[in-house]
Amino acid sequence: MIDYTKLSKEISYALRHAPWEYELELDPDGYVLIEQLLAAINEDSSYDRMITVDDLKYIIDNSEKKRHEIQGGMIRALYGHTVPVHISKDPTVPPDTLYHGTTHRALSNIMEEGLKPMKRQYVHLSADIGTAVSVGRRRDPEPVILTIDAGRAYRDGIKFYTGNDKVILADYIPGKYILVMR
Ligand code: HQG
C-alpha cells in the first residue's frame, strides 16, 4: 500500500518549496515534467513500489483539497509556493467577500499592517467560512476568522489570483479591507 498522505506531502514539498532537491526546475507557472518528478521520487524510493502517474492522479482526485494540477505531461502545485523564483498566477475578479482563518496571536499585527504573504509568495484567502476555519485550525483550535472586503479592494486596484476554487491568492491585503468576524 502506498502512503498517499506522505506522497502528497512529498509532492507539495518538491513543487512548492524545494524543487532543486529533486533536480527539478519549475517553469514560470510552476509546472514540471511528471516524468522528471517521478524519476526523482522513485530514485532512493521510500515507498513500497514505484510511484506512477496514476498515483499522482489518485491523490489529486481523492484529496480533500485540490493542491496539485496535471496538464499534459506536466504537474504543478496550485498554491503555497515559497520558492525564490516568482510563480505567476492567473488574475481573477474576486467575489465581494473573502475569508481568512488565522491565530489570535497574529491578529493585532494583521490589523495594523494588513495580511502579508509571510514566507509564501501570496496571501492565501478562502472562498467560504468553512474553508477559512479549517485553514485557521492548523494553528489555533479556535481560530479568528477575518472577512475581507475583496470587492472594494479589487476596485481600489488590489490584485487577486486563482489558486483553486476554494483558495484565492493576493499580493497583499491592507488592514482597511479587513474585519474580524464575531
Ligand atoms: C499570518 C494550507 C502576522 C496568516 C492552508 C497565517 C492554506 C500574519 C500565517 C495555505 C500577517 C502564514 C496557506 C501579519 C499574515 N502579521 N501574521 N501581517 N499576515 N499572517 O501557512 O493562509 O494544506 O503561510 O494569518 O490550508 O495559513 O498546505 O498561510 O496564519 O490554503 O495545502 O501568517 O496552506 O494549505 O501562514 O495557509 P501560511 P495560511 P495546504
Side-chain angles (χ1 to χ4, degrees), residues 16 65 67 79 100 102 113-114 116 120 138-139:
R16 289 175 176 179
K65 298 180 180 179
R67 296 184 173 95
Y79 59 88
H100 179 84
T102 189
E113 54 185 38
K116 295 178 171 180
R120 304 194 198 255
R138 287 155 52 243
R139 295 214 177 79

Side-chain angles (χ1 to χ4, degrees), residues 12 16-17 65-68 79-80 82 100-103 105-126 131 134-136 138-139 144 146 164 166-167 169 172-173:
S12 289
R16 289 175 176 179
H17 309 303
K65 298 180 180 179
K66 194 171 181 251
R67 296 184 173 95
H68 313 110
Y79 59 88
T82 64
H100 179 84
T102 189
T103 60
R105 218 165 86 88
L107 185 59
S108 62
N109 262 344
I110 291 173
M111 297 315 279
E112 232 167 76
E113 54 185 38
L115 277 168
K116 295 178 171 180
M118 308 306 278
K119 291 185 179 145
R120 304 194 198 255
Q121 296 194 1
Y122 297 92
V123 173
H124 288 57
L125 303 167
S126 301
T131 303
S134 55
V135 172
R138 287 155 52 243
R139 295 214 177 79
V144 179
L146 307 175
N164 64 24
K166 301 262 179 74
V167 179
L169 307 170
Y172 166 62
I173 304 289

